[in-house]
């Protein structure tokens, strides 16, 4: 029988990896650990595998016809102006681009109102934001996936210590003597619910009632919610806003009601974005850029442990 040329499929089979993983390992591309690269290359050498010149050019991205690998940031947010109105998303893109650096990888951003069906041709990796748990699990079965924020069981995620941040905000208001405390919480997402839980844990511990309204992380909803809180208790002396954009709506409503900040009403936000610094807003800082960078690193090298939780820290400014 005529000797057959060793193929990439042969190398992948003997090495016990997928054909795509074998290609990446041989060509030194992202997406495989050093241990896997060494193993695959040793198998290739043992089998006498010689990459075809054209195939190698395709694999390494040195032909104009080759499409770059993509990392997609998939955002579920019904607000059509979300990318402009919410600094969080810009911070995510900044962190992701830092992690990608000069590698030949395209960063793609997609915002949708509701969770879409899984792509027939999914990108190399996906960072999911605000994706419902079942949908996250479906995406994870098709491509490398990591969520920003707790998601479905088994789906890797990276998130700030939201509950700890909510706890810090509440402790600050209580220990600085605020007694008639209101809150504009967030939508029914894991991150918002965790912030709410941490905040209420303090209030429950000191047997302090909290006037609250659920918001949606938009300024307009927070403005209306604050008006509602003031109507229910004109003597309100503190408001916790579940994100900095929410805090902007709170501050606007307080200003129009002639309530001085912080003399009459203290305000604490959550994010630690540039908005907080510009508005002299006390806010719980969360390291969004580090979260996004950790997510990208995990996509490019799944051998890295899932990032998990990153710490949050309250920065006290003039609003409280």
């Amino acid at each position: 029988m005529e000797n057959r040329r060793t193929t990439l499929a042969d190398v992948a089979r003997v090495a016990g990896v997928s054909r795509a993983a074998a290609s990446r390992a041989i060509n030194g591309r992202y997406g495989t650990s050093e241990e896997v690269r060494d193993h695959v290359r040793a198998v290739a050498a043992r089998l006498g595998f010689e990459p075809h010149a054209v195939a190698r050019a395709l694999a390494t991205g040195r032909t104009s016809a080759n499409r770059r690998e993509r990392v997609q940031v998939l955002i579920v947010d019904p607000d059509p102006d979300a990318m402009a109105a919410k600094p969080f998303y810009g911070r995510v893109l900044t962190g992701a681009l830092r992690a990608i650096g000069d590698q030949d990888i395209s960063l793609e951003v997609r915002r949708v109102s509701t969770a879409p069906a899984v792509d027939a041709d999914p990108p190399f990796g996906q960072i999911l934001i605000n994706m419902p748990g079942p949908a996250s699990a479906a995406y994870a079965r098709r491509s490398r996936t990591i969520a920003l924020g707790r998601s479905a069981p088994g789906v890797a995620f990276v998130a700030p210590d939201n509950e700890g941040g909510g706890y810090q905000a509440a402790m600050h208001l209580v220990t600085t003597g605020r007694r008639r405390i209101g809150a504009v919480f967030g939508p029914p997402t894991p991150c918002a619910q965790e912030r709410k839980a941490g905040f209420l844990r303090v209030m429950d511990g000191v047997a302090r009632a909290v006037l609250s309204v659920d918001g949606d992380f938009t300024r307009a909803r927070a403005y209306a919610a604050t008006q509602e809180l003031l109507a229910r208790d004109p003597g309100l002396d503190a408001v916790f806003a579940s994100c900095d954009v929410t805090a902007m709506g709170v501050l606007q409503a307080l200003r129009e009601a002639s309530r001085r900040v912080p003399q009459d009403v203290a305000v604490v936000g959550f994010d630690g974005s540039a908005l907080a610094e510009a508005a002299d807003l006390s806010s719980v800082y969360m390291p969004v850029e580090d979260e996004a960078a950790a997510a990208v690193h995990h996509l490019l090298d799944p051998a890295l442990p899932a990032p998990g939780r990153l710490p949050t820290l309250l920065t006290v400014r003039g609003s409280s």
Side-chain angles (χ1 to χ4, degrees):
M1 180 181 295
E2 185 178 344
N3 288 336
R4 181 173 64 86
R5 181 187 178 94
T6 300
T7 67
L8 181 63
D10 295 325
V11 174
R13 175 177 51 79
V14 175
V17 299
S18 70
R19 189 179 184 280
S23 174
R24 290 190 174 93
I26 289 171
N27 291 296
R29 302 210 51 194
Y30 49 82
T32 55
S33 66
E34 183 176 356
E35 181 181 2
V36 170
R37 286 195 294 270
D38 291 344
H39 171 62
V40 171
R41 288 174 179 176
V43 169
R46 189 169 74 248
L47 296 179
F49 173 70
E50 296 180 1
H52 189 278
V54 173
R56 184 177 181 86
L58 288 170
T60 55
R62 294 194 176 94
T63 72
S64 59
N66 185 53
R67 183 179 66 182
R68 286 181 174 182
E69 292 283 17
R70 295 176 295 139
V71 169
Q72 182 184 76
V73 179
L74 179 55
I75 301 165
V76 180
D77 192 319
D79 181 3
D81 297 323
M83 300 303 296
K86 300 177 181 179
F88 172 79
Y89 297 132
R91 295 179 66 192
V92 168
L93 300 184
T94 298
L97 287 170
R98 284 179 185 170
I100 289 173
D102 294 331
Q103 299 180 81
D104 191 23
I105 306 171
S106 295
L107 183 66
E108 176 181 288
V109 183
R110 182 183 180 194
R111 186 207 62 83
V112 293
S113 297
T114 58
V118 176
D119 291 344
D121 180 23
F124 170 78
Q126 289 179 299
I127 299 174
L128 307 179
I129 302 178
N130 302 331
M131 182 71 73
S136 295
Y139 272 81
R141 288 192 291 269
R142 291 295 305 274
S143 66
R144 295 185 181 185
T145 299
I146 187 167
L148 292 192
R150 179 171 50 84
S151 186
V155 176
F157 76 91
V158 55
D161 179 12
N162 287 300
E163 186 167 343
Y167 184 94
Q168 292 175 63
M171 285 295 297
H172 172 63
L173 294 176
V174 168
T175 56
T176 53
R178 305 293 172 163
R179 303 191 60 81
R180 301 169 77 169
I181 299 173
V184 181
F185 293 124
T189 60
C191 67
Q193 295 302 305
E194 290 164 358
R195 295 172 195 181
K196 180 178 181 178
F199 190 84
L200 292 180
R201 181 156 54 95
V202 173
M203 297 303 166
D204 292 342
V206 296
R208 191 75 53 82
V210 177
L211 288 178
S212 68
V213 178
D214 288 336
D216 58 4
F217 287 165
T218 66
R219 184 193 58 79
R221 174 60 185 139
Y223 172 80
T226 306
Q227 290 180 317
E228 179 182 337
L229 291 175
L230 290 173
R232 290 162 60 186
D233 183 0
L236 201 70
D237 66 3
V239 179
F240 169 62
S242 57
C243 78
D244 289 349
V245 173
T246 296
M248 296 303 106
V250 172
L251 291 171
Q252 180 186 1
L254 291 173
R255 182 172 61 251
E256 292 184 6
S258 299
R259 304 300 302 279
R260 297 173 301 166
V261 176
Q263 294 90 337
D264 300 327
V265 184
V267 179
V268 176
F270 202 115
D271 277 348
S273 66
L275 280 178
E277 186 172 357
D280 199 22
L281 172 71
S282 296
S283 182
V284 177
Y285 176 79
M286 57 180 189
V288 179
E289 293 85 353
D290 292 342
E291 294 171 45
V296 169
H297 288 312
H298 184 71
L299 290 176
L300 300 186
D301 189 354
L304 294 173
R309 299 281 180 180
L310 299 183
T312 53
L313 181 65
L314 172 66
T315 300
V316 177
R317 297 189 176 92
S319 69
S320 65

